[in-house]
Amino acid sequence: MLPVHVQMEKITIAGRPVIHLYGDESPYGSMVYYHGWGSSAESSIFRGGIFASYGFDTYLPDAPYHGQRQSPDLDIGEDIPWRTLMDLVQRNNDEFQDIQDYLKTDAIYLSGHSMGALTVGMVLKNYPVQGGLAMNGAFDFVALGQHYGLKPQDLEGIDLPMEDLASYRGKVLYMANGGQDQSIPAQIQESFYQALVDSGVTNCHFSLFEDVGHVVTTNMLDEGLTYLLKEDK
C-alpha cells in the first residue's frame, strides 16, 4: 500500500529492473534505496513510499540474485555466505554508475538496510552524491568480516570504506543501528563513525537504538530523514 499521492511504475535501468516511486513534487532530489539480503525491491515498496511522500524521487533496484533478478546460480537462503554478500555489495556499487547516468544528476541520496546499508557505505565513498541513510550496517568491512570468520585477505577485490575516510567529506551521513542486532554488531558501525569524526569528517551522525534488533523502525527513518534534510543546506 502506498500513500494516496504517491505513484509507482516499474522501469529498467541498463536492462535491470527498478521500481520508481514519485509524488506530485520531488523538492529534495532523488533517493535510491537498497534492500537487504533475502529481500527485494518489491518488498520495499512501502518503505520507498515513505521516501517519496517526503519529497524524494525514489528508486528501488533489485540486488543481483534477488527479486526480479533471481537465478538458479545462487540460492538466497537464511544462511548468509559473507564473502558472497560482499560480492553483491560490490556489484551494487558498480551498477550505481548506470543509475546515476540514468538520473543525470548528482542530487542523489542513498538509503539502505543491512546489505543495503553496506552498499550505501561503498557508493557514498565512490560517487559524488549528496548523502546517505544507513540502517543496521557496518562500513568497516574488515571488522565485520572478522566477526564472521573472514580474514582481511578474504576481502580481496572488495572496495573498503575505511581506506578512504576523506571521501566522505562534504556528504551528509546518518547511521542507525539496533543495540540488540544479532546480525551486524552496532559497535562496528559506532567505531567507524568515531573514525570519521577523528579524521575531520563533519555532517555525520550515529544513533544507537538500544532495544532494537536487525530491523528498520519508523523512528530510525524519521530521525534519519530529518537529519539528512537539516544538514544538507
Side-chain angles (χ1 to χ4, degrees):
M1 182 177 293
L2 290 169
V4 293
H5 61 287
V6 173
Q7 304 295 314
M8 182 182 79
E9 62 177 347
K10 295 184 178 181
I11 63 174
T12 59
I13 297 178
R16 305 181 194 103
V18 176
I19 293 175
H20 178 210
L21 301 165
Y22 56 96
D24 296 333
E25 297 181 354
S26 301
Y28 302 125
S30 298
M31 174 72 78
V32 180
Y33 176 80
Y34 288 97
H35 64 76
W37 177 274
S39 187
S40 67
E42 192 82 28
S43 64
S44 304
I45 288 174
F46 181 78
R47 196 166 294 161
I50 294 174
F51 296 130
S53 69
Y54 260 76
F56 293 97
D57 187 32
T58 303
Y59 296 82
L60 313 177
D62 270 321
Y65 303 109
H66 288 71
Q68 295 300 306
R69 301 177 67 183
Q70 288 183 15
S71 167
D73 295 337
L74 180 63
D75 179 27
I76 304 299
E78 293 184 3
D79 293 330
I80 301 176
W82 275 90
R83 171 62 211 214
T84 301
L85 182 145
M86 294 308 305
D87 286 334
L88 299 193
V89 171
Q90 187 69 54
R91 284 187 60 181
N92 279 343
N93 172 83
D94 299 344
E95 292 174 2
F96 179 78
Q97 183 64 65
D98 294 321
I99 296 176
Q100 188 171 50
D101 291 345
Y102 177 87
L103 296 177
K104 296 181 173 61
T105 179
D106 291 339
I108 303 171
Y109 291 89
L110 311 166
S111 57
H113 172 246
S114 192
M115 180 178 75
L118 306 188
T119 299
V120 169
M122 190 183 291
V123 174
L124 192 64
K125 168 185 175 292
N126 291 325
Y127 293 88
V129 296
Q130 296 291 105
L133 193 168
M135 296 165 286
N136 296 315
F139 295 176
D140 186 344
F141 297 164
V142 172
L144 181 60
Q146 289 174 333
H147 176 75
Y148 279 95
L150 295 181
K151 299 176 182 178
Q153 56 267 33
D154 294 332
L155 292 174
E156 182 178 356
I158 301 299
D159 202 344
L160 304 176
M162 280 291 286
E163 292 185 347
D164 188 11
L165 296 177
S167 64
Y168 292 89
R169 292 176 182 164
K171 302 169 184 177
V172 183
L173 174 59
Y174 173 87
M175 297 164 281
N177 288 69
Q180 303 303 313
D181 191 338
Q182 300 300 307
S183 298
I184 297 182
Q187 59 266 32
I188 298 177
Q189 189 74 315
E190 187 170 13
S191 295
F192 180 85
Y193 162 73
Q194 192 58 55
L196 282 179
V197 172
D198 292 345
S199 72
V201 174
T202 58
N203 285 6
C204 61
H205 177 83
F206 174 81
S207 281
L208 179 66
F209 290 76
E210 291 281 0
D211 298 322
V212 174
H214 194 66
V215 296
V216 176
T217 69
T218 53
N219 286 340
M220 284 182 180
L221 289 171
D222 181 53
E223 184 178 284
L225 288 169
T226 299
Y227 181 81
L228 290 185
L229 298 178
K230 179 185 73 172
E231 292 297 314
D232 192 18
K233 302 295 184 184

